[in-house]
């Protein structure tokens, strides 16, 4: 197996995701109510497969699977290394799309996965690990705080896929 790490006395393995994992990873993401509310759903896998190919081709990105001993994928996250001029040129690791199967939450799987990602970010020369979490995910916020993360910033997003009649998409000119 192409394990990046073996955790919890050999019962969990973290490995680089493969194209054949896309259906299982989409299943994990789509099972989450917040993600499902944003349109993530198992069905047409083409956009997910295209995104996977782009992620996998870029060495700054690492998409991983968390597998149980029997090979069942029960978690995932994406780690991205971002060079930055801020903080005296400190490289940052961004954790994205952290998901653990709901039936396995509370067993330490997420802590093992995120702990591995923090260690991997350190190995890759990062001086900071950051992530965003939907404001409605109060339990997730407590989880990240237990792992040593602090809610230090307010995040903002702008949906670039909103329709043309969406007033938030209007542009103004500066003269």
């Amino acid at each position: 197996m192409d394990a990046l790490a073996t955790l919890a006395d050999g019962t969990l393995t973290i490995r680089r995701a493969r194209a054949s994992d896309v259906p299982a990873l989409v299943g994990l993401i789509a099972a989450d109510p917040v993600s499902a509310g944003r349109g993530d759903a198992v069905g047409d896998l083409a956009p997910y497969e295209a995104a996977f190919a782009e992620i996998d081709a870029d060495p700054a990105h690492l998409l991983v699977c968390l597998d149980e001993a029997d090979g069942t994928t029960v978690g995932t996250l994406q780690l991205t290394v971002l060079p930055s001029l801020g903080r005296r040129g400190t490289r940052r690791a961004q954790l994205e799309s952290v998901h653990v199967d709901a039936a396995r939450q509370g067993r330490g799987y997420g802590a093992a996965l995120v702990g591995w990602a923090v260690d991997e970010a350190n190995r890759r020369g990062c001086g900071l690990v950051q992530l965003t979490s939907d404001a409605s995910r109060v339990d997730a916020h407590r989880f990240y705080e237990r792992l040593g993360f602090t809610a230090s910033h307010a995040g903002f997003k702008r949906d670039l896929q909103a329709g043309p009649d969406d007033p938030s998409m209007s542009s103004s000119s500066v003269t």
Side-chain angles (χ1 to χ4, degrees), residues 111-132:
L113 182 60
V114 172
W116 173 86
V118 169
D119 291 345
E120 181 65 17
N122 192 45
R123 281 189 289 278
R124 291 175 179 235
C126 297
L128 180 75
V129 178
Q130 61 191 27
L131 56 86
T132 61

Side-chain angles (χ1 to χ4, degrees), residues 142-164:
R142 283 193 294 267
F143 166 75
Y144 292 123
E145 288 170 348
R146 281 195 313 271
L147 297 180
F149 289 84
T150 57
S152 61
H153 292 71
F156 297 89
K157 295 184 182 190
R158 182 170 175 179
D159 186 352
L160 299 179
Q161 296 179 2

Side-chain angles (χ1 to χ4, degrees), residues 17-38:
R18 299 180 291 262
S20 60
D21 295 314
V22 169
L25 299 180
V26 172
L28 285 169
I29 295 166
D32 171 62
V34 173
S35 296
R38 296 181 186 141

Side-chain angles (χ1 to χ4, degrees), residues 3 14 17 19 21 26 33 45 48 68 70 79 88 94-95 102 112 115 122 125-126 131 137 139 156:
I14 295 174
D21 295 314
V26 172
L45 294 176
Y48 299 102
E68 289 181 318
D70 67 359
L79 184 147
R88 299 179 49 101
Q94 174 77 25
L95 302 186
N122 192 45
C126 297
L131 56 86
R137 297 182 189 273
D139 290 340
F156 297 89

Side-chain angles (χ1 to χ4, degrees), residues 42-152:
V42 177
D44 178 13
L45 294 176
Y48 299 102
E49 291 165 341
F52 173 84
E54 188 173 351
I55 292 164
D56 197 50
D58 187 335
H61 298 281
L62 177 61
L63 182 64
V64 299
C65 295
L66 177 68
D67 293 343
E68 289 181 318
D70 67 359
T72 303
T73 297
V74 296
T76 186
L77 67 72
Q78 179 180 336
L79 184 147
T80 300
V81 175
L82 303 164
S84 174
L85 291 178
R87 294 184 181 231
R88 299 179 49 101
T90 298
R91 296 176 89 183
R92 298 165 186 251
Q94 174 77 25
L95 302 186
E96 193 61 42
S97 215
V98 179
H99 291 276
V100 171
D101 178 76
R104 275 109 170 151
Q105 291 176 6
R107 296 185 189 179
Y109 286 27
L113 182 60
V114 172
W116 173 86
V118 169
D119 291 345
E120 181 65 17
N122 192 45
R123 281 189 289 278
R124 291 175 179 235
C126 297
L128 180 75
V129 178
Q130 61 191 27
L131 56 86
T132 61
S133 179
D134 190 274
S136 69
R137 297 182 189 273
V138 177
D139 290 340
H141 302 168
R142 283 193 294 267
F143 166 75
Y144 292 123
E145 288 170 348
R146 281 195 313 271
L147 297 180
F149 289 84
T150 57
S152 61

